[in-house]
Amino acid sequence: MTVPFPRSYSPIRRAVFGVLAAWLALPLASAPAWALHMPKVAELPASALQPFMQSSSQIWDAVLPLPDGRMLLEAPAWVGNTGPQLFVRDTDGQLAAWPNAAWNAPEGDAQSRFVGLGGLTRTADGHIWVLDSGVTNRKNRPVAAPKLVEIDPGTNTVFRTVPVQASALRPGSILSGIAVHGTTAYVPDSGVAGLLVIDIATATARRFLDHHPDLIASRPIVTPTGPVRDNTGRYAAVDASMIAVSPDGTWIVLQAPGQYLSRVSTSIFTDPDITPAAFEESVTQWFKTPSLGGMAIDNDGTLYWSDITTSSILSYTTGRVPRRLITDPRLQWPTTPGLDGHGHLYVSASQLNHSKAFGAPSATIAWPVTIYELTLPTTPPPG
């Protein structure tokens, strides 16, 4: 387990703390009590969570509904899956490798097939961006260089691939998670804490926040049965691996599975005058989240989190209002959720602590793996 770096606070940060202290001294009426703490009681009953589909062979770790009713499902190699790593579920319920079988081939040219998927996202133009980390086992060296793949879901064809420059990587780098806004991609490094900012047009990658303490796996990943350990008995350590970008592109949030949620203004990545000290101060702890298995962001900027620790789905508005939508023991290690834009959230109970993800010689998955459909509340949070 990585030990967190000791942090010294600059005069600027002390001043900020002083302002914050003054703000907190205001009458409670000026800020709702639930703005600071996640409610302990879920808003929705168990009936709001219904099984949607199941698999007896694939461990899904990300769900991405498409506007036409189809759904993309990620089944990465690093958790022990074999076969295709990216599927599409048609409106009739049939599954097929996506965008085609060739891109999901187990062998061949690494530049034209998926090697080790590490995340996917849909951009405003409707295209899908897929991160291929090139890593099939977190305990082993990469099989291939990482790349980004842009796919047009309208034609089911690859639009382009963007190789990730080796200069932005470190020995032990494992890229995981992707967010894209305009011509910029944001990709965390879950093997050696850092953030890659990639200019898609030029395929230029720059590395920021290297070894930043808020991106490091300094806390254990906790499930309802306790901390997760690898095959050596040590706490499983994964640095920042989850990321989302705001609809207007002005900020990102990112998190290691066992860390707290951090928020960063994207303007710092293009500011030529920013100092190293300012970079250090640019990362804001946005919420003291539990251990997370994934996150998604809605068109209004609301974040949805899969809570590993309490088997819950949580949300967090741009106004910093947290909501515990549902808690259900069926949600065993829920992973990256997907929103259909019509009031439903889909999430896989992936059971990653029972997979080969953390070095176990064999999986102890309780098949089938189930993707659930959650009907989201239509009312404001309880006051």
Side-chain angles (χ1 to χ4, degrees):
M1 178 179 176
T2 306
V3 177
F5 293 152
R7 302 185 67 174
S8 59
Y9 296 112
S10 67
I12 295 176
R13 179 167 285 194
R14 293 193 190 99
V16 171
F17 285 169
V19 172
L20 178 60
W23 182 85
L24 291 174
L26 293 175
L28 290 178
S30 64
W34 34 254
L36 297 179
H37 300 287
M38 180 64 65
K40 294 182 179 180
V41 178
E43 298 179 26
L44 299 174
S47 59
L49 187 72
Q50 294 295 321
F52 178 75
M53 62 176 290
Q54 295 180 321
S55 174
S56 296
S57 58
Q58 298 295 327
I59 304 172
W60 318 113
D61 82 332
V63 182
L64 182 58
L66 299 178
D68 60 9
R70 293 180 298 163
M71 181 178 290
L72 300 182
L73 307 168
E74 183 179 83
W78 74 273
V79 303
N81 286 309
T82 58
Q85 296 187 58
L86 188 57
F87 289 80
V88 63
R89 181 187 187 275
D90 287 328
T91 53
D92 61 1
Q94 296 298 309
L95 293 176
W98 195 79
N100 54 47
W103 268 92
N104 285 275
E107 298 178 345
D109 183 3
Q111 295 303 311
S112 56
R113 69 179 180 94
F114 298 136
V115 177
L117 293 196
L120 69 162
T121 188
R122 180 173 175 268
T123 50
D125 62 3
H127 281 200
I128 306 300
W129 281 91
V130 179
L131 168 66
D132 186 349
S133 69
V135 175
T136 59
N137 186 321
R138 293 184 64 91
K139 299 293 184 181
N140 299 335
R141 294 176 59 85
V143 174
K147 62 182 179 291
L148 311 183
V149 183
E150 182 182 10
I151 306 172
D152 181 352
T155 59
N156 299 317
T157 56
V158 171
F159 187 76
R160 62 178 150 181
T161 60
V162 179
V164 177
Q165 290 179 311
S167 59
L169 304 175
R170 301 288 183 266
S173 284
I174 303 175
L175 302 187
S176 179
I178 180 172
V180 178
H181 187 272
T183 60
T184 304
Y186 303 94
V187 179
D189 189 336
S190 71
V192 182
L195 175 69
L196 275 61
V197 178
I198 302 171
D199 182 88
I200 293 170
T202 63
T204 302
R206 295 176 297 157
R207 188 178 182 95
F208 296 95
L209 305 175
D210 219 12
H211 299 289
H212 193 286
D214 290 340
L215 276 59
I216 291 175
S218 56
R219 298 168 61 238
I221 303 170
V222 180
T223 71
T225 58
V228 178
R229 298 178 185 271
D230 63 19
N231 59 328
T232 68
R234 298 177 179 177
Y235 290 133
V238 179
D239 291 335
S241 61
M242 289 168 275
I243 190 167
V245 61
S246 65
D248 62 4
T250 59
W251 50 262
I252 58 172
V253 290
L254 66 168
Q255 178 171 340
Q259 255 290 10
Y260 296 138
L261 185 79
S262 294
R263 174 165 148 154
V264 185
S265 170
T266 56
S267 63
I268 68 169
F269 304 123
T270 56
D271 184 350
D273 299 321
I274 195 165
T275 64
F279 257 118
E280 174 70 15
E281 301 291 341
S282 68
V283 181
T284 302
Q285 185 183 101
W286 203 236
F287 194 78
K288 286 188 175 182
T289 43
S291 297
L292 297 186
M295 71 170 74
I297 190 167
D298 208 346
N299 292 330
D300 64 357
T302 298
L303 293 165
Y304 291 86
W305 300 323
S306 296
D307 173 357
I308 299 171
T309 305
T310 66
S311 300
S312 301
I313 299 298
L314 315 174
S315 71
Y316 196 53
T317 69
T318 54
R320 307 190 76 173
V321 178
R323 303 177 71 173
R324 184 178 300 275
L325 301 179
I326 195 165
T327 297
D328 195 299
R330 293 174 292 172
L331 294 174
Q332 296 184 53
W333 200 301
T335 44
T336 303
L339 302 161
D340 68 356
H342 302 288
H344 302 96
L345 177 147
Y346 298 86
V347 63
S348 175
S350 301
Q351 306 176 56
L352 293 192
N353 51 325
H354 295 289
S355 73
K356 296 181 180 180
F358 302 106
S362 60
T364 56
I365 297 290
W367 301 101
V369 168
T370 302
I371 292 177
Y372 291 94
E373 177 185 43
L374 177 65
T375 301
L376 297 172
T378 57
T379 56

